[in-house]
Amino acid sequence: MSRWKCGIEGCDARFEDVEGAIIHQTTEHTRHECKVCGTIVPDGYFAIRHAFDEHTRAEFVRAYDADSSAVRVREEIKSDVEEEADLNSVVRTLREQGAL
């Protein structure tokens, strides 16, 4: 079984590597509007990264009516992805595809 899944609600796509999952999320799903600042970002990993790199945890909790459990889940996803992904390769591929 593939280790990485898309993770966006309603999508069952699975991938052998995390880079494939991120590229899929960016190119196959609609963009997400940040409820804190209104910035439009790709859904999935990039939306999580934006939320936690650009805003405080408290802003996230308030804007998304989230709780500490939701924060922990997203922090874990962000950490897992960043531990394994070659994000430079992902960005390069997405730029080549015109998705960024």
Side-chain angles (χ1 to χ4, degrees):
M1 180 180 281
S2 302
R3 178 167 175 217
W4 295 93
K5 62 181 179 176
C6 174
I8 294 175
E9 186 176 337
C11 184
D12 295 325
R14 297 188 79 73
F15 304 89
E16 292 300 319
D17 56 50
V18 67
E19 293 86 2
I22 296 169
I23 291 167
H24 163 82
Q25 289 173 336
T26 304
T27 60
E28 301 299 321
H29 292 282
T30 58
R31 302 285 169 137
H32 171 80
E33 181 177 353
C34 176
K35 291 183 181 181
V36 177
C37 68
T39 298
I40 305 296
V41 294
D43 205 352
Y45 165 74
F46 282 124
I48 292 170
R49 178 175 157 176
H50 170 82
F52 292 136
D53 287 358
E54 300 299 322
H55 307 296
T56 67
R57 302 316 187 245
E59 288 173 322
F60 176 83
V61 167
R62 282 192 302 273
Y64 289 91
D65 194 27
D67 59 18
S68 60
S69 175
V71 170
R72 279 192 302 276
V73 166
R74 284 161 180 79
E75 286 177 328
E76 186 175 316
I77 291 168
K78 184 177 181 292
S79 176
D80 289 349
V81 167
E82 291 173 354
E83 186 175 298
E84 187 160 331
D86 179 350
L87 293 173
N88 289 326
S89 171
V90 169
V91 169
R92 191 170 37 256
T93 298
L94 291 170
R95 284 191 177 138
E96 288 169 1
Q97 294 179 2
L100 287 183

